[in-house]
Each structure stands twice: as structure tokens, then as C-alpha cells.
Amino acid sequence: MSEATDPWLIVGLGNPGPEYAANRHNVGFMVADLLAERIGGKFKRAQKAQAQVVEGRIGSPGPANRRVILAKPMSYMNLSGGPVTALRDFYKVPTDHIVAIHDELDIDYGMLRLKLGGGDNGHNGLKSMTKSMGSDYHRIRFGIGRPPGRMQVADFVLKDFSSIERKELGYLVDRAADSVECLLAEGLERAQSAYNS
């Protein structure tokens, strides 16, 4: 069982490079960027992994204050497991103290679902992480909905959010970042009851 003093590794999943920055598939990066801003840190290249990291603390002073490593793997999405496992080993983070923030096709746009463990539901980033280190990590699933009409899933996730979706995106990314803070401070059940929609 993990100790209260163990660090947390918060991983935003996405693809590196400006051409992917606003894609639906990169919502994990967006949440990680906001969390970095909240703790007053800037992402820098990790020494031991193909990733960018920010170290800091989340939560009010006292027992709920948690040491965190925010990470954005700089491999492509389908290779996320390598960098995440390298960071886990370097920072000595228990697997149940890892949180993956990712886009989720089977949830309506903007809805959140928090869970521990489970399958990858066809998500290449999760598939890679689970192959590298097992499935006993937390997930914050950010709903992006299904592609319209006959659009292929791969095309849909690699498109930017629509103009209608972008009107709410800032609020929804903010809410996802809040859910991470709640998970760390109050545990999974409290975070689920507050944020699972």
C-alpha cells in the first residue's frame, strides 16, 4: 500500500508538436499545462525519460499537501508507456499513485469519469502504459464523444475541437484539473462523487 508521503505522477497524454496542440487527443496535455500553471511551474525536459516534467506540490498546506510530478510524454501517444515507466522508476512512484489524463470517445463531450484500473478501451496511450506497467493506475477520462457520421476515429481524435466545443473547453479543462486536485487531497471515492458526470 502506498504511503501518504509517496509522490504522485500526473500524466497528461497527447502528441508532441504544435500541429497536434489543439487536437481532441491532446486534452491530457491541456489539463497538465493548467496544473503546471496553478503550481507556478514550467515544463522542462526530463533527465531520465522522453518527457517534459514539472515538480511541485498540490493542495493546501497540511496533510492534504501532495508532492507531484506533472508529465507530458514526448513520444507519440502510442508509445507513452516507455516514458511513463521511466518516470515512475526514476521518481519511485507507486503505480497506484499514477494518474493518466486522457480523451475518451465513449463519454459525451466534457463529461468526466475517474477510475482506478480497468481496460484501455482501444486508447493507444493507455494500451502502451498498461503493457509497460500493468493497469493499476488512476485514469481521468475526459469525454470527447464519438465521431460524426462516417468519420474515422483516428481522423476525429486528431482534429481540433470544434468552434462550439471550444466555447466550453476552458471551463471543462479547469474542471478536469480540479478533479485531479480533489483525487489527491480527498481520495478516489470523494472525487468520483464530486466529478463523475
Side-chain angles (χ1 to χ4, degrees):
M1 191 64 196
S2 303
E3 301 291 326
T5 53
D6 283 330
W8 284 79
L9 175 59
I10 315 296
V11 182
L13 293 178
N15 285 308
E19 67 273 33
Y20 299 107
N23 289 179
R24 292 182 177 94
H25 223 18
N26 271 43
V27 74
F29 275 18
M30 296 173 198
V31 177
D33 285 337
L34 179 58
L35 286 166
E37 202 177 296
R38 287 183 181 184
I39 65 173
K42 289 217 182 308
F43 278 99
K44 59 183 190 298
R45 227 170 81 188
Q47 291 178 322
K48 301 289 182 184
Q50 192 182 357
Q52 291 185 351
V53 294
V54 175
E55 295 180 59
R57 300 194 83 84
I58 284 180
S60 47
N65 190 260
R66 301 281 182 256
R67 180 176 162 231
V68 295
I69 300 98
L70 301 173
K72 297 191 294 186
M74 290 288 116
S75 59
Y76 284 95
M77 179 71 86
N78 59 343
L79 300 171
S80 300
V84 176
T85 304
L87 291 169
R88 178 199 68 177
D89 295 348
F90 179 70
Y91 288 104
K92 299 180 173 49
V93 179
T95 304
D96 68 350
H97 273 212
I98 296 172
V99 182
I101 309 163
H102 64 92
D103 58 307
E104 177 60 64
L105 288 158
D106 286 338
I107 302 173
D108 288 341
Y109 174 64
M111 302 282 117
L112 292 176
R113 295 271 196 295
L114 284 74
K115 64 185 242 184
L116 174 63
D120 57 55
N121 207 20
H123 191 286
N124 289 331
L126 297 182
K127 201 177 287 185
S128 177
M129 284 180 62
T130 297
K131 189 177 173 192
S132 288
M133 60 186 194
S135 62
D136 295 332
Y137 53 89
H138 288 84
R139 298 101 194 276
I140 294 184
R141 304 159 72 203
F142 187 110
I144 60 169
R146 302 293 306 182
R150 296 184 175 198
M151 186 187 287
Q152 294 295 312
V153 164
D155 294 335
F156 180 68
V157 299
L158 293 176
K159 279 209 173 354
D160 291 358
F161 286 100
S162 71
S163 55
I164 292 169
E165 288 170 334
R166 281 199 299 272
K167 287 179 181 161
E168 280 190 292
L169 186 59
Y171 163 75
L172 297 169
V173 166
D174 199 59
R175 191 165 179 271
D178 290 346
S179 78
V180 174
E181 295 186 358
C182 183
L183 170 65
L184 270 55
E186 301 185 50
L188 181 60
E189 280 184 33
R190 287 292 296 274
Q192 284 174 323
S193 64
Y195 291 95
N196 278 14
S197 42

